[in-house]
Structures are given as structure tokens and as C-alpha cells.
Amino acid sequence: MLEFTIEDLSNADIERLRGIYEPLAESVRSLVDATIRTEADAQTVVEVKRDIDAAVARLQSRQLDGAFGVRVTTSGESMGWGNAVIGIRNAFAPLLMTRRDAEGRVSADFHLGAAYEGPPGHVHGGVAAMILDHVLGEAASVDRQPRFTGTITMRYVRPTKLGPLRTEAVQVRRDGVKTYCTGYIADAEGVTVEAEGVFITPRWLRES
Amino acid sequence: MLEFTIEDLSNADIERLRGIYEPLAESVRSLVDATIRTEADAQTVVEVKRDIDAAVARLQSRQLDGAFGVRVTTSGESMGWGNAVIGIRNAFAPLLMTRRDAEGRVSADFHLGAAYEGPPGHVHGGVAAMILDHVLGEAASVDRQPRFTGTITMRYVRPTKLGPLRTEAVQVRRDGVKTYCTGYIADAEGVTVEAEGVFITPRWLRES
């Protein structure tokens, strides 16, 4: 059901493509923030919108038919560049740069700004859920075998302030096709949201 | 802890502001999609990036200090225009246009494209969680009293294809400060993710 595209790209090719498209996404991420926060007058906004429409037309003149997908290079490098949480070409992505320690613990320090707001000045509870789903899923897949969320529960301890944040997740046990993980999001004053989830080895990876 | 700004705006003022800023966010939303999917050459991307950086600078020349917040007008209209799920000025938001029926059922038909991808061609599980958190939260608050997520559990029935989707949520019972809700996301072939949650009346709204 899920098609991972295999591409014959060298590491140098990947670096070259990254060098072209990553800076663009960074600029667009700033634009998303500025679009929410600007108090520019009507005339300025009309002119800016005209420039953006022109930019869209130029980018669309040659584009993929559908979503970016997940491309796996012949050397085994995985390019989920469109991914909603970690995609370097996705200006929507909070762009978690996760680390894994020797015990399989996955963590990331990250920053959430105006685009991730729910209650005034605070992270949307759904954004916290999105991030925890992703980070627990990574912890479930530390052996590089993808596992997909079966169930996940979020417990909101208190509101999470927009700004610098930290997340961490770890496997707690494995039972056949099920991998159990827990994790949290924390701000400077401590944990704000906790999560626990069961992740499932997909059928096409069992027995292999 | 949460500051809702009260503004002395008439309905005509709101419409005027919406007319200025909403089209800009729509263009930026197209740009986010194009940034992921473009196959434009390096030179084009450099030029487009330069134009976007200029647009950002113009918008930032006059802007809010922090996030947009939630402004409540003197007539009681709520403007969560920066909201991560429904904010009309937020190009990141999937922009759910929820409806409420007479029984308090909240629903929305919506479309998720390239920016919301997780597994190839499919919705990121975390994005589904984000949407369900929001829609169940709305169902918990149909009497216009905000309630915040206490705990929420998502059960992933099968992968959700990118494209046209539907979501629905409803209150199932209320017990003191706790409101229980369930809901789902469905594609053309039926339900893909189910959710149930407990939503809490904030302390500052109890006794009032």
C-alpha cells in the first residue's frame, strides 16, 4: 500500500538538492510567521500577495504530480523531505532535528512560534499531539524498521508556552508486532504533555 | 494565565481586516505546497527565494511583537486568526471550516495535500491527531465555554490517504468539570482514525 520510491542518488546529489531547496523552505517558513504577525497596510499586503502569486507560478511551472513521498536512495538514505514534522522542504514542519542516544532514547530541542498557536500565547494541543506522535514513532523505529501508530494517548499536564521546547521518547517494551513507547514535551518549567503509544510492525515487514 | 485580548472592533472592521489578510494567507498556503513539490532549477529557486525574502522584510516592517493571540471583539466575536488548525491568517492551518448541527455534533469536510504527508501519499498520523484534538475540543465547547484537552486517545484503523476527508465529533457525556467526546476522521472508504477524549473546564470558568 505504501510506495517508497528508490532513487539512484549519490550522497553528493542529495547534498546538492538539499542546497537548492532547503533555503527556499526556510524563507517560506519565515513568510508563514510574517503573514500571521504583520500589521502592514492594505496596499503593501496587496503588492506582497502579487509577488507571492508570481513566485508560486514560477515554482509550479515544473513540479511533481502529487505529494513528495518518501524516497530511499540506493545507499539506504531516506529522504522524507515533504514530511509534516521533519521535512526540510516543508515550511509547515516544526522541523524537529531528533537525536538518538545509545539506549535508543529519541530527543529534540525545538522552537514553536506564532504558526503553532492554540490558546493565546500557547501551543495548540493538537500540535503537541502531532509532535509526540512523531517522536514516539521514531523511538518505536530505532532499529530502522518503520512502525506505525496503533493507539496513542496524550495527557495534558498544563498549557505549553510558545517558545523553546524539548521532547523525548523511549521504548518501554516490545511484545510481538507491538512496540510500547512513552514520551513527553517540556518547557523551561518542566513537563507539559505526556504520551504513551502502541506502535505496530506493518504486515509487509513481518516474517522478513 | 491565558490572556484573551478584547478589541473594540465592529463587524465591518472585522470584514475589512479579513479582506486584507485572508487572501495573503491563501497565497502563502499555495506557496508552501509549491515549495515541497517544485522541480524548478537552481537558478529559478534562488530568484524565487530572493523575492520571498523581500516579501518577508516588507511584512515584518510593521508587525506584532508575539503570536497573534485570540482577540475577542466587544460584540463577542472570537478571532483566533493565528490558530494552527483554523486560523485564516495561518498558512500552516488545514483551515477546517467546522459546522455544528442542532444536536451539537461538529463536522468538517476538508482537504489535506502535500504539506500534511507522513507515509508516502498518506496523512501524517500526527496531523490526524492534531485535527481530532481540535474537533473534539470544539464538540466539548459547543456552549461557547472553552474546555481544554485533559487526555485524548487516537486509534489508527488504517492509513489515511491525502485528499478529500471528513471529520466529525460529538459529546457523549458530562460529569462535573469533565466533558467526554468521541470523533473520527474518514476518507471515501470510511473511518481511518478514531478518537476519544476528556475535556476540562478551566478553573477560571468554574463557579462563574
Side-chain angles (χ1 to χ4, degrees), chain A residues 148-163:
Chain A
F148 296 101
T149 321
T151 61
I152 187 166
T153 298
M154 257 60 72
R155 194 170 78 83
Y156 294 82
V157 181
R158 60 179 172 81
T160 307
K161 282 208 188 83
L162 290 172

Side-chain angles (χ1 to χ4, degrees), chain B residues 97-108 135-143 166-172 181-184 191:
Chain B
M97 308 298 269
T98 52
R99 296 176 299 274
R100 297 169 186 204
D101 71 14
E103 285 78 46
R105 189 173 293 269
V106 172
S107 63
V135 177
L136 269 71
E138 275 207 26
S141 314
V142 281
D143 54 3
R166 182 178 165 74
T167 183
E168 203 171 292
V170 69
Q171 284 187 28
V172 287
C181 295
T182 62
Y184 65 81
V191 171

Side-chain angles (χ1 to χ4, degrees), chain A residues 13-175:
Chain A
D13 289 331
I14 295 177
E15 280 314 303
R16 188 182 53 81
L17 289 170
R18 186 176 182 130
I20 297 172
Y21 296 109
E22 189 174 30
L24 175 65
E26 281 166 8
S27 292
V28 176
R29 187 168 290 117
S30 300
L31 180 62
V32 171
D33 184 88
T35 298
I36 297 168
R37 296 170 57 201
T38 190
E39 296 183 293
D41 59 53
Q43 183 56 33
T44 303
V45 173
V46 164
E47 289 168 17
V48 164
K49 177 181 151 45
R50 189 198 55 207
D51 291 347
I52 291 165
D53 290 339
V56 171
R58 291 191 74 183
L59 294 177
Q60 285 181 339
S61 65
R62 240 182 84 191
Q63 73 172 2
L64 298 168
D65 271 342
F68 191 83
V70 178
R71 313 192 188 177
V72 181
T73 65
T74 44
S75 66
E77 199 76 25
S78 176
M79 295 161 64
W81 287 2
N83 186 284
V85 178
I86 57 163
I88 59 166
R89 287 186 56 173
N90 190 340
F92 164 110
L95 213 55
L96 294 195
M97 308 298 270
T98 52
R99 298 175 298 274
R100 298 170 186 202
D101 71 13
E103 286 78 45
R105 188 173 294 268
V106 172
S107 64
D109 294 289
F110 61 108
H111 184 279
L112 294 183
Y116 304 98
E117 188 176 41
H122 291 77
V123 177
H124 192 294
V127 170
M130 176 175 79
I131 286 165
L132 285 164
D133 173 80
H134 192 93
V135 177
L136 269 70
E138 274 206 29
S141 314
V142 282
D143 53 3
R144 301 220 161 228
Q145 299 290 323
R147 290 183 180 82
F148 296 101
T149 321
T151 61
I152 187 166
T153 298
M154 257 60 72
R155 194 170 78 83
Y156 294 82
V157 181
R158 60 179 172 81
T160 307
K161 282 208 188 83
L162 290 172
L165 299 167
R166 182 179 165 74
T167 183
E168 203 172 291
V170 69
Q171 284 187 27
V172 287
R173 97 193 142 86
R174 196 177 288 177
D175 179 8

Side-chain angles (χ1 to χ4, degrees), chain B residues 37 51 77:
Chain B
R37 296 169 57 200
D51 292 346
E77 198 76 25

Side-chain angles (χ1 to χ4, degrees), chain A residues 92 114-118 124 127, chain B residues 80 82-87 90 92-95 130:
Chain A
F92 164 110
Y116 304 98
E117 188 176 41
H124 192 294
V127 170
Chain B
N83 186 284
V85 177
I86 56 162
N90 190 339
F92 164 109
L95 212 55
M130 176 175 80

